[in-house]
Each structure stands twice: as C-alpha cells, then as structure tokens.
Amino acid sequence: MPKPAIFIPGFPASELHDKNTGAKLFPPNPLDLLNPARKKALLDKLSIVPDDVVAGPPIDATIRVLKPAAQSLFDILRKHYGYDDTTLIPIGWDWRQSIASADTVARIKKALDTLSPDKDGKVIAILHSTGGLVFRAFLEEEPDYLACFEQVLTFGIPWCGTLEALHAVDKGASIAIGPIPLLSASDSKRILQNAQAAYDLFPRCPDMNLFISNGVSTTPIDDQSWIPSDAGHDFMRTLAANAHPRFPRDFDDLPVTSVCGWGGDTWPVCTNAGGTLTFPAPDNDAGDGTVNFASASWLTGADVRQMPVPIGAYADEGLIPQVHAQLWMPKVVRQLFNQVLLDSAREPFVAAAADKDQYIDPQAGKVRIRISAVDAEGQPLPNAVLRFLNGPHPISQPFAGARMNFDMPRGAFQQQPAPNMRRMEIKISWDGGGPVTIPLLIMTA
C-alpha cells in the first residue's frame, strides 16, 4: 500500500464552485461567456470574493496561461505507485483568498485527519508552485500537524515569490483551453487584481534583483508606487498591505526534495519607472516558465535538497518539452519519486535536455543543452565532466557547479534515427562515478 499523500496545487489551479448549486464557475464554461449578462455575473462573483463561492478540486486539464495539469501527476501516482482516492487526497483551495485563509487551513486539516488520525508521521506532502507556500502557511497556523508528515516533494515552488503574479495583476493575460478563448486579458486582470493570493506571491527578496523601482532593487510590496494613486485602486493597496509575510528561508522541520527547473520562458526582471511596470522579453535561462530558478532554489534546511531539472526536449519523452506546469513529467524525475515514495536509495541525479526552441530550429548553428549533475543530496558532483564526439573528435568539458548550459554544435548530431531527426549521445562522469550516457535528439525539418 502506498504511503498516504496530499497534493496541494498552485495558483490559480483549483476549481471554484457556486456554494448553493455546485455549478463550476472557474474555469468558466465557454457557453456562459457568450452571454454578456451571464459573463458579467460570473466576473462579479469571481472578483468580489463572495461567500457563495467555494473551492473545488485541483484543475486536472492543461489550460493555456493558467497552466495547471494535475491529471498528468495523478496518472503517474496511480500508474506507477498504486495511489487511489483513499491514499491520495488532492486539496483545492480558494486562490482569491490568502494562502493562509481559514477555509484552506480547514481543508488541509480535514485531509490529514483522514490520512493520519494519529499523527503518525507517514504522510507525504506533494506540492506544486504556490501549493508550497500554502503548505508552509498551514504549518504556521497548525504546528501540531507537522507530526503527520514524513517527507515533502515539491515542484517549482516560488519560495521567495514570482514575477508571474505581478505581471498577471498589472497586465492580465488572456485565458483559453486549447483554441477556445475563455477570458480576455482585461477580464483576468480584474479577477486577479482582487485575489489576495496573487499579492502573497509577489517577489519578496530585494537581493534577488527581480523588481527594480526607480533604480533601486526592492519589492512590489515594499514599494507600491506602481499601484495607481486614485481612490479606485485603494483595494490593491489594502491587498498588498495584507500580503502574507515572507517565510523564513530555513526549513529544518522535514526532509524536502525540491525540484527546480530552468529552460522555460520566464520574466527575468520587472522595472518600475514613474508607476509604469515594464517586463523585458522572457529569458529561457531565468526559470521554469513561471518561477525564477533563484526563487525555486531559495529554501535551505538541514535536510533540504535542491534538485535542478533541465526544461527542454528529452530524447526518450517524444520531444515534448515540459515547463512549470508539469515539472514532474520527465522520466528522469521518476528517480526522485522512487526515493520519496518507495524509499529507494538516494543516488546521483544526472539529466540533460535540448533547448525547447533551438531543437526544432534547423537554422540554429548550435543547440543549447541544459545539464544537471548533482549528488544524492543535490550538491555538485565532484569534478564532473561532459564528453561527446563531434564527428571523429572527442570533446571534454568540465562542469562548474550543479548545472551547466552547453551550446552543442548542430553538426555533432550525426546519427539519423528518422528522416527528420538527428541523434547523439553525451556522457557525464565524475570522481568515483559514471559515465551516465544520455541520448539527445534534434529536428532537421
């Protein structure tokens, strides 16, 4: 029988329901949005945080912009680890409220009272994105429930905030399911500007240089000059003032395996000049597509290990890059699942993926390869070396740190497994271990 587990999704990755009828309000039904009166009523309900709207389960299907995809995680847990509804409890939460809202705390307590009535220390917390902050806020409110947990497995947690939330509040973003439009950028902006959890997610560490206001590195909570000064925006100042305090960086209470991605289009910085926020072009190396790597890897603790996972095209994944929403999808991550859920022996973690844009661009002279090479505790492998053949020539490249970007000449991909593909292998070795052989593929047309 698998270890009991809870799953807490990110923001805004839980359904919202009408408390009286049970009808799903979010994600909205496209038919409701075609009727102007029904659309207005829906936006009013989602924006004002009335008592007759309650959280439903985590959203299980991928939605462009919002990007939750819990179903793929549930599939992994059920297929490979034997989970069912009695051993895995997903906890939806009302993302319009604080990450520490009484309702959310009560939902987590209820799940733990079911899975661990004796607080026997056997529960695994599986957390995605803002779900990590919800978890820490819960432990602040209910420290006695710490005894329920054995380990924590996290994916892309914005431990020190994310610019994605600030961008959503300031600019909005159109929301769609596949090709079906749901909400315009102005519609989503109205909803998210009224969501307390969005402000709880703003960058909170000035030393990360994510938010530069009038030439000074600060945070959008400490410097609110970006919020319009008119009385109509007083509600935003109130929400910013009520943002949950930054959590301590140290977390020594539980073993944490923290999966941190880089290689997805992520805002590298936001600048405020005279009240106008500017976001430069997203940077592939800044983070996982939503959370900056520096924020995802910020947590420290006696038994916290940061496991960097490259985002890009994996040769054994059907060349489908996964970003923040599905950091658990690459098969190499199954190694970490095994260690947490099955008590498999901890061992070095080595992974590599081709840049999600360059691997399909036949005009690119080089393809960036993102490689992680860490020991069982997330520390850089000693004297790690990358080796490969460029034609007949053997090439060696030493590592510097736990992760490396290497711009591979496109001509090094000489094997042809299919008419429109080229393949090569790299080898990673280190003092006392390896080599680990990793295949890489690119598209030629």
Side-chain angles (χ1 to χ4, degrees):
M1 184 174 179
K3 299 177 182 180
I6 62 170
F7 168 67
I8 306 178
F11 170 98
S14 298
E15 295 180 0
L16 297 178
H17 293 180
D18 187 295
K19 183 177 181 179
N20 301 310
T21 67
K24 184 167 68 175
L25 303 175
F26 185 88
N29 185 328
L31 295 179
D32 289 336
L33 302 178
L34 296 177
N35 183 305
R38 284 157 62 184
K39 179 179 178 180
K40 180 181 183 304
L42 173 67
L43 292 176
D44 287 345
K45 278 200 169 190
L46 293 178
S47 301
I48 301 172
V49 194
D51 292 337
D52 59 351
V53 175
V54 297
I59 299 169
D60 61 4
T62 301
I63 298 179
R64 182 160 51 87
V65 176
L66 298 186
K67 310 175 188 174
Q71 190 59 53
S72 62
L73 173 63
F74 299 158
D75 290 344
I76 290 171
L77 294 175
R78 289 167 181 157
K79 178 180 178 181
H80 298 285
Y81 303 99
Y83 278 94
D84 58 25
D85 293 341
T86 66
T87 50
L88 172 67
I89 298 183
I91 302 170
W93 58 284
D94 189 340
W95 41 265
R96 303 167 309 149
Q97 301 182 30
S98 165
I99 58 172
S101 73
D103 178 69
T104 300
V105 168
R107 287 168 178 265
I108 299 174
K109 284 179 63 176
K110 181 179 179 181
L112 293 174
D113 288 341
T114 299
L115 292 173
S116 182
D118 300 322
K119 296 184 175 62
D120 57 6
K122 297 180 180 178
V123 177
I124 304 297
I126 302 173
L127 313 171
H128 181 229
S129 197
T130 314
L133 306 187
V134 170
F135 178 75
R136 291 200 73 183
F138 169 78
L139 292 180
E140 284 185 343
E141 296 291 323
E142 299 288 343
D144 289 348
Y145 279 83
L146 180 70
C148 294
F149 295 99
E150 176 189 298
Q151 290 192 65
V152 181
L153 177 59
T154 72
F155 297 92
I157 310 298
W159 297 116
C160 211
T162 172
L163 287 172
E164 189 79 10
L166 180 62
H167 185 272
V169 166
D170 187 64
K171 311 295 184 186
S174 58
I175 299 171
I177 296 180
I180 304 174
L182 295 180
L183 297 173
S184 67
S186 60
D187 291 336
S188 72
K189 179 178 175 178
R190 177 185 170 191
I191 295 170
L192 298 178
Q193 279 188 344
N194 285 276
Q196 178 64 70
Y199 298 78
D200 295 344
L201 271 170
F202 285 175
R204 305 303 294 274
C205 303
D207 58 353
M208 285 189 180
N209 299 313
L210 292 178
F211 183 76
I212 310 297
S213 182
N214 300 309
V216 177
S217 181
T218 179
T219 77
I221 296 296
D222 296 330
D223 182 345
Q224 299 177 18
S225 61
W226 60 276
I227 300 177
S229 59
D230 60 282
H233 289 85
D234 284 347
F235 74 97
M236 293 180 67
R237 277 179 285 278
T238 298
L239 290 169
N242 291 335
H244 193 282
R246 190 177 83 183
F247 294 101
R249 186 169 190 177
D250 292 335
F251 186 76
D252 294 327
D253 304 305
L254 291 168
V256 178
T257 298
S258 178
V259 175
C260 314
W262 90 104
D265 300 332
T266 309
W267 307 115
V269 68
C270 170
T271 57
N272 172 33
T276 299
L277 298 186
T278 300
F279 295 80
D283 182 348
N284 268 2
D285 287 314
D288 65 11
T290 297
V291 176
N292 291 83
F293 187 89
S295 184
S297 60
W298 179 78
L299 193 69
T300 61
D303 202 2
V304 173
R305 55 177 186 158
Q306 309 288 358
M307 310 304 285
V309 173
I311 288 174
Y314 286 81
D316 57 353
E317 304 289 330
L319 294 178
I320 302 177
Q322 305 294 343
V323 291
H324 174 79
Q326 299 188 77
L327 281 174
W328 46 73
M329 285 298 288
K331 290 180 182 177
V332 68
V333 178
R334 205 77 46 79
Q335 173 183 332
L336 304 178
F337 277 109
N338 292 344
Q339 293 167 15
V340 174
L341 300 179
L342 302 180
D343 295 322
S344 299
R346 290 189 175 189
E347 56 188 25
F349 181 84
V350 179
D355 182 88
K356 67 180 184 60
D357 300 315
Q358 293 175 347
Y359 92 99
I360 57 173
D361 180 6
Q363 303 305 313
K366 295 183 177 180
V367 179
R368 174 152 293 185
I369 307 300
R370 294 183 174 86
I371 310 166
S372 64
V374 295
D375 66 16
E377 302 308 319
Q379 298 302 309
L381 288 170
N383 296 315
V385 177
L386 160 69
R387 292 185 172 87
F388 64 95
L389 288 176
N390 188 4
H393 307 292
I395 306 293
S396 295
Q397 175 68 38
F399 265 72
R403 57 195 181 105
M404 178 174 72
N405 290 342
F406 185 82
D407 292 330
M408 184 71 68
R410 204 170 184 89
F413 293 79
Q414 294 189 342
Q415 303 172 35
Q416 188 172 356
N420 63 338
M421 290 184 179
R422 293 293 185 273
R423 182 183 186 277
M424 69 171 300
E425 291 181 346
I426 61 173
K427 297 181 185 294
I428 310 296
S429 58
W430 59 95
D431 286 355
V436 174
T437 300
I438 304 174
L440 296 166
L441 290 174
I442 60 172
M443 308 296 288
T444 58

